[in-house]
Amino acid sequence: MLKYRTIRSGDGPMRMPDVHMKEMGIVMSRTETGRPVEMPRFAGEPHAIEDGARAMAIVRQRAREWGIDPHKVGVIGFSAGAYLAADLAIGAKALRPDFVGLIYGGLRTPVSRDAPPAFIAGAADDEYLRNDPVLLYTAWRQAGASAELHLYERGGHGFDLHAKGTTSDHWFDELVWWLQFHGLVKTAAK
């Protein structure tokens, strides 16, 4: 779990400086119009990327000590965290994770051919980013990079590990199967 720096907001939710409200307007226009507009880079985002890159470096440096393979280190991000995961995946080669999970968010371009494999999941009824999973998958595949898409009929923006009685309840099992398929985690003994 990475706790990363974000932009400073005012005294409550959605109380941001005017420059951030403009960026948020772009985000909300995606919801209202349904037109795919790439998410703007937010003012605090460089700090988040620095924090993510530092976390990648620490995990790789201490991987053997922690009993993990330093060449199987990935990032799974949800919503805003998916944008951070995508930024790391398409950023500086030395800092890239070995795989990414982009869960309801993360549309960033351009994607290079050598981008890490991506597990992409979202819900068709996502009230904010309903088109992002398909656009992400398309960007990854058009670049020639490995990607798998799971678009659930229901789940909204924020399905997690708590069962909601929808097909999105199974996203984590599908992520594990995908990781196993790519040899990123060991298959459990039968």
Side-chain angles (χ1 to χ4, degrees):
M1 174 88 63
L2 173 65
K3 183 176 181 180
Y4 58 91
R5 292 172 287 170
T6 61
I7 60 173
R8 288 188 169 245
S9 58
D11 296 330
M14 302 307 288
R15 290 201 173 111
M16 296 183 261
D18 288 341
V19 67
H20 302 309
M21 288 307 292
K22 180 181 176 194
E23 294 166 336
M24 199 52 135
I26 294 169
V27 173
M28 296 314 290
S29 76
R30 289 166 40 131
T31 303
E32 294 162 4
T33 66
R35 286 194 307 269
V37 176
E38 186 158 335
M39 291 288 279
R41 302 243 182 238
F42 286 94
E45 200 163 349
H47 296 297
I49 295 169
E50 288 172 14
D51 295 344
R54 180 74 178 128
M56 290 295 303
I58 290 169
V59 171
R60 285 200 170 115
Q61 288 166 0
R62 301 191 66 188
R64 301 264 185 245
E65 173 188 342
W66 293 338
I68 58 175
D69 184 334
H71 303 292
K72 295 180 179 179
V73 177
V75 176
I76 301 171
F78 302 82
S79 193
Y83 289 94
L84 173 54
D87 285 334
L88 293 171
I90 66 172
K93 208 175 224 186
L95 303 174
R96 287 184 187 166
D98 299 300
F99 66 90
V100 289
L102 305 171
I103 317 298
Y104 41 87
L107 181 59
R108 290 284 193 235
T109 56
V111 176
S112 64
R113 180 169 183 70
D114 61 349
F119 177 90
I120 301 163
D125 68 342
D126 185 322
E127 58 269 35
Y128 303 111
L129 305 171
R130 80 180 117 261
N131 298 322
D132 277 25
V134 172
L135 295 171
L136 269 166
Y137 176 78
T138 301
W140 240 259
R141 297 304 296 170
Q142 283 179 343
S146 174
E148 181 162 311
L149 172 64
H150 295 262
L151 185 62
Y152 303 103
E153 182 178 356
R154 302 239 187 279
H157 186 81
F159 58 83
D160 52 27
L161 294 175
H162 296 93
K164 292 182 175 183
T166 67
T167 55
S168 64
D169 290 350
H170 303 283
W171 77 267
F172 188 75
D173 293 327
E174 291 166 341
L175 170 65
V176 171
W177 297 329
W178 179 82
L179 290 167
Q180 290 170 343
F181 173 77
H182 283 278
L184 296 163
V185 296
K186 293 179 183 174
T187 303
K190 294 186 179 197

